[in-house]
Amino acid sequence: MPVKNSSNTKKTASKEKTKKEKPALKSAPVSVVLSFATPGMSALHRTGLGGLAAVLHCLDKIKEKIDEEEPEFPFDSPLWREDFAWKIDKNSVELNFGKPENAALFLEWLFQFAFQIKDEMIFLPALYGVKNGKINVIPIEVRSRLQKGITLTFLQHGQTRKLGSEQTKEYEVDGKKISYEHKDCLSYTHQTAWKEWVNNKGELVLKNYSVQGPIHPGAVVRHAAYTSSSLIAQPLELVLPLIFALVGTLSVPINNGVGVLIIPYIDDLVSFSQNWHRVCPKTVKTSMIAGLGDASIQFELRRRGESLKNRVKIPGCEAVCFRPMPWATQQKSRCDTLTLEHIDPDILDLYDRVLSYFPPRLIENKKNKKEGKGKNAVVTETVEYFLADSVVRPFIADNLARGNYWFKGFTKQMTAYDAVSKKPLREKIKFEKEGLNKMINDEKLDWKLEGAQSVVLAVQESLKFLYGKKIAESKNLSQEGKNNRLEGEYEKWRIAFSGAKTQEQFRFALSDMFSRAKGIPVLQNDWQSVMKIVVQDWQLARDLALIGLAAYKGKNEGKKEE
């Protein structure tokens, strides 16, 4: 009997085993399901999924009107296929391409609608909404501000968008023409992001893809020398929603160098897709924000402003501030965040009144323009108008959003300098005295601290007495001389209060003011509450005293804003 070669037999068996264990090739998917339950879903991912749902809802609304009138893009697009389909439920979105090889056609068609350019400007239909089969019209000046916000958050780098040269445009507010600077947008990276996800057959490729700033602001490669190991990479089920975060969030500018990204918290994709467009700013004034608290509470107010039937079911939001930092001036980095969850309705009611007390103001600026030379020179007066936002409103908003007393930290407002003009911030506060007085005397305002209002009113009554005394002493002076005396009195107490570094110093300054003024009714009726604040938390008392000082306005006091 012949002997078998055991080694050959072993090799043959090994080959057969290897052949059997070789995994079968996966077929390309005909559909993809994106769900809140996907591991790794952050707030921004969920918001992006909401943005995708909002885009699909807009497509549904357009499709409803196809039989009644000429369809608006994209159902007349050559890319459209009858077997394209989608489904939205509370927690997920399903995209169906009909055939695996149609994935590229579907995504190209979807992205052509979702990420448009109109009037040389970024145009996001799902953010504006659809009515009667047509995309809602949003004023160009508002879209320009939203585009500015996007370039300060998502599309910061020049390679992520192609902009034209800066130009000056105009819009009207209360019949006055206001100029603003704008750059046309020719293209942006979101429009073609889908190309990375498909192969040359048009099929969807499910693998990990890189996550960077254009789809996730703040995401960067940690080390340029180790790109492969420090690059953030995620599966398509997470990357695809991130692309649509541009639609599901709001990006608004504070100024030319600082932007705020508002990320709504979503727990119902159906409600969000149907009503997201309702919270989009419709006017320039409602698109103006001056800080994180201001942005987040205004967002909540617009959300709450809808009827109960159409109210967007959003349990809160997160606001992220982007600005140039000393270590990276060439880009805008995350510098601050604010989370707002389940805000008290009373706070929203209060802030609704705060908005009316401290709205953006229409400012008139007169300039003399000289034409010609010598005797032939002609000087003509020109008038320019611009909107100046409040500096008190964002201060109040940040306090309310963080659960503080609305007046906490006002001392910093009176000692800080404006980041742009480098001038004392208190110079701008002078033009908001009327709003401060409305706030102080608001009968619905809950100060949440016994005696707080009394401190403010006592300082104002004391200042009224001291001003009257100065006027009586300067009867023989010119009006300019009288104004200088009053300004000197004001500065004396401002420096005394804001310069106090200890309880003893502040208590001495406040007692000195009260002792010079006689017969103050507020002190006579509420002396114990006033002193209780001074003793228990003198810094809060200092804030209140400076509010009373900043808000005081005499009968003939006034100043023209320049």
Side-chain angles (χ1 to χ4, degrees), residues 173-213:
V173 173
D174 300 332
K176 309 295 185 182
K177 289 186 177 181
I178 298 179
S179 299
Y180 67 99
E181 302 300 325
H182 170 76
K183 289 184 178 181
D184 289 342
C185 183
L186 308 178
S187 65
Y188 53 105
T189 188
H190 290 68
Q191 295 178 299
T192 56
W194 61 272
K195 292 183 178 180
E196 186 183 0
W197 308 335
V198 296
N199 58 24
N200 54 10
K201 296 179 182 179
E203 299 169 338
L204 196 65
V205 180
L206 300 178
K207 66 174 187 178
N208 285 352
Y209 295 93
S210 65
V211 175
Q212 298 185 35

Side-chain angles (χ1 to χ4, degrees), residues 190-447:
H190 290 68
Q191 295 178 299
T192 56
W194 61 272
K195 292 183 178 180
E196 186 183 0
W197 308 335
V198 296
N199 58 24
N200 54 10
K201 296 179 182 179
E203 299 169 338
L204 196 65
V205 180
L206 300 178
K207 66 174 187 178
N208 285 352
Y209 295 93
S210 65
V211 175
Q212 298 185 35
I215 63 174
H216 195 305
V220 295
V221 177
R222 290 184 177 273
H223 202 301
Y226 304 98
T227 302
S228 59
S229 58
S230 64
L231 178 72
I232 300 174
Q234 293 182 341
L236 184 63
E237 292 86 346
L238 294 177
V239 173
L240 199 156
L242 281 180
I243 292 289
F244 287 87
L246 185 70
V247 179
T249 59
L250 275 178
S251 296
V252 282
I254 293 179
N255 53 45
N256 289 332
V258 182
V260 172
L261 176 64
I262 303 172
I263 305 171
Y265 294 151
I266 305 175
D267 58 7
D268 187 337
L269 289 172
V270 176
S271 172
F272 185 86
S273 66
Q274 295 173 353
N275 300 297
W276 173 232
H277 67 278
R278 300 179 188 277
V279 299
C280 177
K282 305 299 190 300
T283 65
V284 172
K285 286 188 175 181
T286 55
S287 70
M288 293 182 70
I289 57 101
L292 287 180
D294 191 30
S296 55
I297 301 183
Q298 281 201 51
F299 171 80
E300 285 294 314
L301 273 174
R302 286 197 299 274
R303 182 187 69 82
R304 191 190 72 161
E306 299 300 325
S307 65
L308 289 174
K309 179 181 178 181
N310 297 322
R311 185 168 297 176
V312 186
K313 294 180 180 178
I314 302 175
C317 68
E318 179 179 332
V320 185
C321 184
F322 290 82
R323 70 167 68 241
M325 302 304 287
W327 58 85
T329 57
Q330 76 281 7
Q331 65 180 7
K332 284 77 182 175
S333 305
R334 288 171 173 250
C335 63
D336 196 6
T337 61
L338 175 64
T339 299
L340 199 64
E341 295 185 69
H342 306 292
I343 188 169
D344 190 334
D346 291 338
I347 297 296
L348 291 180
D349 290 337
L350 169 59
Y351 202 70
D352 198 14
R353 301 196 300 276
V354 170
L355 280 172
S356 66
Y357 297 159
F358 306 99
R361 307 179 307 284
L362 186 63
I363 307 301
E364 178 184 292
N365 185 25
K366 292 182 179 180
K367 289 185 177 181
N368 291 327
K369 185 178 180 181
K370 185 177 180 180
E371 295 180 352
K373 296 181 180 180
K375 295 181 179 180
N376 297 324
V378 178
V379 178
T380 56
E381 186 179 74
T382 60
V383 180
E384 295 178 349
Y385 297 93
F386 63 93
L387 283 174
D389 210 350
S390 168
V391 296
V392 176
R393 190 184 73 245
F395 159 76
I396 296 174
D398 284 343
N399 274 329
L400 295 180
R402 289 180 166 87
N404 297 327
Y405 298 118
W406 70 267
F407 49 83
K408 184 177 180 180
F410 191 76
T411 302
K412 292 182 180 179
Q413 295 293 103
M414 295 292 284
T415 56
Y417 286 80
D418 186 85
V420 178
S421 66
K422 308 301 181 184
K423 295 181 179 179
L425 205 59
R426 60 181 177 272
E427 294 299 322
K428 289 187 175 182
I429 295 176
K430 287 182 179 180
F431 304 112
E432 302 196 65
K433 290 184 176 184
E434 184 176 350
L436 278 172
N437 278 299
K438 287 180 179 179
M439 187 78 178
I440 292 167
N441 296 291
D442 187 342
E443 295 180 356
K444 297 180 181 179
L445 177 61
D446 182 2
W447 291 76

